[in-house]
Amino acid sequence: MEPLRRLRRPARQGFREGAGRGITHERRPTMDLVIRDASVIDGTGDPAYRADIGIAQGRITEIRKEGEGPRPTARRTVEADGLALAPGFIDMHAHSDLALLRDPDHSAKAAQGVTLEVIGQDGLSYAPVDDPTLAAVRRAITGWNGDGSDIDFDWRTVGEYLDRLDRNFDGQGIAVNAAYLIPQGTVRMYAVGWDDRPATAQELDHMRQLVAEGLEQGAVGMSSGLTYTPGMYADDSELAELCRVVARHDGYYCPHHRSYGAGALQAYEEMVTLTREAGCALHLAHATMNFGVNKGKAPDLLQLLDDALDAGADISLDTYPYTPGCTTLVAMLPSWASEGGPDAILRRLRDDATAEKIRYEMEEIGADGCHGVPIEWDTIEISGVSDPGLASCVGKTVARAAEMRCEEPWVTARRLLIDDRLGSTILQHVGHEDNVRQIMRHRVHTGGSDGILQGFKPHPRAYGTFPQYLGKYSRDLGILGLEETVAHLTSRPAARLRLPDRGIVREGYRADLVLFDPETVAAGSTFEAPRTLPVGIPHVLIDGRFVIEDGRRTDVLAGRAVRRAPARG
């Protein structure tokens, strides 16, 4: 597919629609824009209806259903001609923390109809930090976001990072809106370091303070990566203390929990119990049931969640509509091998005796980094490397790369970890389609891409999650009806984020909107061509401004930091 091209227009130039869709100019405009004859899928799950939508000053100011009276007028009038109009999609699990700062285009998300991303995921991001913590976290998640050498890290607090989003690109802003989760692993790195030990009372107080300050400065909650160091070194009592702070500020806890493999159900139950005791809302990140041990076990997870919900728990979850996962190769190591941070990891890998202990635990026992399941190298595909000199590995499984070198897979993996300085990303082909389908039907499900944009061959979910839901899983497979699918991607996540004016097509709400063709919308991205843009999404608006117009990226930067609403009561 042809990449999106930027369109530069005079500010008051008329909107030009594609063939068969015209434009009119009113002499006495009352609004900035009217979208006529749209099939409105309002995000509530209710049946679609035909209407004109009036927009002024970034908000929906009028919804005139077909046959209800005089049609609204505006400076610009778009004839939707039956295209579906929905609220902008909310990506509940994104890794665009630096991409939003370096890429004004950001078509990976904008072209999907995403108007808001939730970043700061999996317990590791770039605020709050001091100088040593920033240096360490940059190295730790190079595989997710690059090393940041092209970024001016002129912030240290959560509030300063959110301010930076707002004033990015010479004050214009960012491509799409962004909300931020305080990363618990970064907080622990800041207050405790990389040691695998309980926090002292003073360190715990420091962590509580960092979390409280981040929430007061606008974060919507807290994330964890409990298979990533150093966040995984926190025990449940420590996590519960931080969740109590989150609860007092009316935020939510979003854990990547301790196992998606051999101990998956126990790990889900641990998070449900912990947050209920802390009185904190829970949002389960990329809630999958992977590996052979969990084939057919989605009903067990859903029963656990239903029982908790029926007992009064506040729980939601997100998933992506694909079976493989994506992470870094270093994340597969046992946690003890990662204690002390990146330099300590590399020292252990270079020591033959220690490296053999790592291999044995990964291949024979099942390391906690690989979710307690013995690693299967033929399921681990190299998707990206930091060193371009290692690009020949990309697209091959570790098993295949080792076979080509006539060596054992661990030898290849160890060499890659060392030579790429822990910066390699992987696709892990361990999912089950039946589990994916059953979980996406659940009453508290939302959509999240978990999209890592780095690497030569990223997971296609980064570019395709939302059209994949609309096209493959709604239209083609009928797993969810179209109105219900849109609700999963709009009003449900908006409710979790406690956003009072987003996620529904309603008068007074923000004009973050998507126009798509239900008959043709589809993900263009594939595992072979993961950066291909979707089809069937001609127009996307943020704050009433077109960021995608006629299927092309405009030069509009309408995104801003979306800060936590004040606590209730």
Side-chain angles (χ1 to χ4, degrees), residues 261-270 272 284 287-309 315 317 434-436 438-439 442:
L265 282 173
Q266 295 90 331
Y268 282 114
E269 186 174 11
E270 175 192 11
V272 171
L284 295 164
T288 58
M289 292 289 284
N290 289 339
F291 302 92
V293 295
N294 288 317
K295 186 175 183 180
K297 289 189 176 180
D300 298 337
L301 167 61
L302 300 180
Q303 186 63 56
L304 168 67
L305 299 181
D306 282 335
D307 290 346
L309 288 162
I315 301 174
L317 60 88
D434 285 347
N435 286 348
V436 169
Q438 290 190 60
I439 294 169
H442 196 264

Side-chain angles (χ1 to χ4, degrees), residues 79-393:
E79 298 294 340
D81 194 23
L83 285 172
L85 183 145
F89 305 136
I90 297 176
D91 188 342
M92 285 295 288
H93 193 102
H95 288 284
S96 302
D97 307 47
L98 298 186
L100 286 165
L101 297 176
R102 67 164 59 100
D103 179 14
D105 187 88
H106 201 48
S107 292
K109 296 301 178 66
Q112 292 185 63
V114 171
T115 58
L116 171 60
E117 298 183 275
V118 185
I119 55 178
Q121 298 285 352
D122 293 329
L124 290 166
S125 189
Y126 306 94
V129 293
D130 57 9
D131 290 352
T133 304
L134 176 60
V137 79
R138 285 176 61 182
R139 290 190 62 188
I141 53 175
T142 291
W144 295 355
N145 298 308
D147 65 9
S149 58
D150 56 337
I151 301 293
D152 177 11
F153 289 90
D154 58 352
W155 68 86
R156 293 297 179 268
T157 70
V158 169
E160 289 168 352
Y161 174 69
L162 297 178
D163 289 343
R164 170 63 185 279
L165 294 174
D166 283 342
R167 61 180 171 79
N168 206 52
F169 300 116
D170 298 322
Q172 295 182 76
I174 49 179
V176 304
N177 296 309
Y180 189 73
L181 293 167
I182 301 165
Q184 170 261 331
T186 301
V187 167
R188 195 173 212 272
M189 196 186 308
Y190 191 162
V192 181
W194 288 87
D195 296 339
D196 183 1
R197 62 170 176 81
T200 67
Q202 183 177 8
E203 289 165 345
L204 184 56
D205 282 344
H206 190 192
M207 287 190 282
R208 288 194 194 98
Q209 178 186 357
L210 290 169
V211 172
E213 288 173 351
L215 291 161
E216 290 162 3
Q217 292 164 8
V220 295
M222 180 180 75
S223 75
S224 282
L226 299 179
T227 64
Y228 300 128
T229 54
M232 69 188 304
Y233 299 144
D235 61 20
D236 284 1
S237 62
E238 179 180 312
L239 294 172
E241 284 300 309
L242 300 182
C243 282
R244 290 187 178 96
V245 177
V246 174
R248 285 198 294 272
H249 289 81
D250 210 18
Y252 70 94
Y253 180 43
C254 179
H256 164 129
H257 51 273
R258 297 192 193 275
S259 176
Y260 289 82
L265 282 173
Q266 295 90 331
Y268 282 114
E269 186 174 11
E270 175 192 11
M271 294 297 102
V272 171
T273 301
L274 184 157
T275 50
R276 293 206 70 189
E277 291 177 353
C280 185
L282 173 64
H283 180 84
L284 295 164
H286 39 62
T288 58
M289 292 289 284
N290 289 339
F291 302 92
V293 295
N294 288 317
K295 186 175 183 180
K297 289 189 176 180
D300 298 337
L301 167 61
L302 300 180
Q303 186 63 56
L304 168 67
L305 299 181
D306 282 335
D307 290 346
L309 288 162
D310 292 344
D314 183 358
I315 301 174
S316 56
L317 60 88
D318 66 68
T319 70
Y320 46 84
Y322 299 87
T323 53
C326 179
T327 187
T328 56
L329 183 58
V330 67
M332 298 291 101
L333 301 182
S335 58
W336 61 262
S338 295
E339 185 178 3
D343 288 332
I345 298 170
L346 289 168
R347 284 196 299 270
R348 294 184 182 107
L349 288 168
R350 292 186 179 110
D351 180 78
D352 290 343
T354 307
E356 173 54 23
K357 292 178 182 177
I358 294 172
R359 182 210 65 79
Y360 180 79
E361 187 162 338
M362 293 177 71
E363 294 187 349
E364 306 297 333
I365 299 174
D368 49 5
C370 195
H371 307 276
V373 177
I375 198 163
E376 297 174 334
W377 294 112
D378 59 351
T379 69
I380 306 297
E381 178 185 354
I382 305 302
S383 61
V385 291
S386 295
D387 182 351
L390 300 169
S392 61
C393 299

Side-chain angles (χ1 to χ4, degrees), residues 325-330 332 375-387 389-402 405 409 412-417 420 422-429 454-459 527 530:
C326 179
T327 187
T328 56
L329 183 58
V330 67
M332 298 291 101
I375 198 163
E376 297 174 334
W377 294 112
D378 59 351
T379 69
I380 306 297
E381 178 185 354
I382 305 302
S383 61
V385 291
S386 295
D387 182 351
L390 300 169
S392 61
C393 299
V394 174
K396 299 181 179 68
T397 65
V398 172
R400 176 57 181 155
R405 296 177 65 93
T412 299
R414 179 187 176 193
R415 178 185 295 110
L416 183 59
L417 285 163
D420 206 26
L422 313 180
S424 305
T425 53
I426 61 170
L427 302 181
Q428 196 168 16
H429 296 270
Q454 288 293 116
F456 295 104
K457 192 174 182 286
H459 197 303
F527 287 99

Side-chain angles (χ1 to χ4, degrees), residues 43 90 92 316 440-447 480 484 486-498 503-504:
I90 297 176
M92 285 295 288
S316 56
M440 73 170 61
R441 291 191 185 104
H442 196 264
R443 53 179 161 147
V444 297
H445 169 265
T446 67
L480 293 166
E484 180 66 9
V486 169
H488 284 226
L489 308 180
T490 57
S491 63
R492 286 191 188 177
R496 165 53 70 218
L497 296 168
R498 305 199 191 285
I504 299 176

